[in-house]
Amino acid sequence: MSDASIRKIRTLIVDDEPPARRNIAVLLQRAPEIELVAECGSGNEALNAIRQLAPDLVFLDVQMPEHDGFDVVEMLGNQLPPAIIFVTAYDQYALRAFEAGALDYLLKPFDNARFERTLARGKERIALLRLAPQKTERLMIKSVGEVSFVRVSEIDWIEADDYYACLHVGPRNHLLRRSLAELEQDLQDANFCRIHRSAIVNIDRIKILKLNADGEYNVVLESGSELRLSRRYRRDLQSRLGVRV
């Protein structure tokens, strides 16, 4: 297969240090599948570029001016790219990176072999998504001695729980080893919406938006669960519900 026949993986590099961006760009030149669409030096630039260019793969620095890498992911909501790789010089962000939906976590300084392994994971993720873009209707739950399935339509809400996501299905809870950001992306066509950094809800399960003592709103579900609506996600929820509060 010629290079021209390969569907390119549109890639974005985000880092406030030009040498760091150049280093990744040089390494990416070895992969014929990669098309470098832009480089960004701040969180604001990254937000604009991701919304305008819709890249498949993003190498995202954690510490940047204006908005850090985690801010960028939160502010994108359901516009997250298929694969995000966090890049940082500090290893204490590893757990938070996973919770934010990172595919991998590159710790500076990294060698060529480590970069190639990370890039291979990115290419594999995107290839799988391109082969199977169908709507998610069931989630598979693995536990000791059994594999069970949960219908997406039966889930009330989902919360982040360290390395897991906790699915609230009526009176039962199920732990799934996936990040909330990944699930949000998979379920965006199934009427789910993020309302907080650590929670996404089934819009069909929302019963009331209730003003709380702080002047903010809580989301009350048909199950009786009451969840805080973060100001950052209020506009998106309003749009999805077709209301103004």
Side-chain angles (χ1 to χ4, degrees):
M1 181 179 293
S2 68
D3 288 355
S5 65
I6 298 173
R7 182 180 172 187
K8 299 289 187 178
I9 296 174
R10 294 166 55 78
T11 303
L12 179 72
I13 302 171
V14 184
D15 199 304
D16 62 329
E17 299 179 354
R21 296 198 301 270
R22 285 196 298 271
N23 182 42
I24 293 177
V26 168
L27 291 171
L28 289 175
Q29 289 177 357
R30 305 178 181 182
E33 311 97 314
I34 298 295
E35 176 188 0
L36 182 58
V37 294
E39 298 181 23
C40 301
S42 71
N44 273 343
E45 289 181 19
L47 285 168
N48 292 331
I50 291 170
R51 287 166 176 159
Q52 293 174 13
L53 301 173
D56 303 300
L57 173 63
V58 177
F59 288 87
L60 181 60
D61 189 21
V62 170
Q63 292 190 318
M64 293 182 295
E66 300 160 344
H67 300 295
D68 66 21
F70 297 115
D71 290 336
V72 170
V73 168
E74 286 190 13
M75 295 171 76
L76 285 170
N78 60 11
Q79 294 179 295
L80 281 176
I84 295 178
I85 295 168
F86 275 110
V87 185
T88 180
Y90 304 96
D91 60 3
Q92 68 264 33
Y93 295 118
L95 175 57
R96 191 176 172 192
F98 177 82
E99 291 174 343
L103 175 67
D104 208 342
Y105 183 87
L106 269 178
L107 187 62
K108 301 176 185 177
F110 49 82
D111 58 25
N112 291 3
R114 177 68 177 94
F115 182 86
E116 290 299 329
R117 290 196 299 273
T118 296
L119 181 59
R121 292 193 66 195
K123 292 189 286 189
E124 181 181 13
R125 161 72 64 81
I126 292 160
L128 288 173
L129 290 174
R130 288 175 174 176
L131 286 172
Q134 69 272 11
K135 180 178 177 180
T136 301
E137 296 183 350
R138 297 194 305 173
L139 295 175
M140 182 174 65
I141 311 295
K142 295 181 180 179
S143 55
V144 178
E146 68 177 25
V147 176
S148 58
F149 297 90
V150 174
R151 290 188 179 278
V152 167
S153 61
E154 296 176 352
I155 299 171
D156 297 318
W157 65 290
I158 307 173
E159 68 176 323
D161 188 0
D162 288 336
Y163 288 102
Y164 293 83
C166 181
L167 313 182
H168 295 264
V169 185
R172 300 190 63 186
N173 297 335
H174 304 272
L175 285 178
L176 181 63
R177 192 174 177 83
R178 294 188 63 188
S179 73
L180 202 64
E182 280 184 312
L183 287 172
E184 180 185 19
Q185 189 169 38
D186 287 351
L187 299 177
Q188 61 182 315
D189 294 328
N191 226 23
F192 280 75
C193 182
R194 186 183 286 257
I195 63 166
H196 189 270
R197 177 179 169 182
S198 59
I200 58 177
V201 301
N202 184 338
I203 294 176
D204 291 336
R205 295 291 197 274
I206 295 176
K207 184 177 181 180
I208 302 171
L209 297 182
K210 185 171 72 174
L211 196 64
N212 62 33
D214 297 325
E216 301 296 336
Y217 282 87
N218 290 345
V219 176
V220 182
L221 305 182
E222 292 178 353
S223 65
S225 297
E226 187 166 335
L227 312 170
R228 184 163 69 89
L229 172 59
S230 171
R231 184 177 301 178
R232 174 171 289 179
Y233 300 106
R234 184 196 296 178
R235 182 177 297 177
D236 187 34
L237 180 63
Q238 288 174 347
S239 175
R240 300 285 294 276
L241 291 173
V243 300
R244 293 289 298 274
V245 294

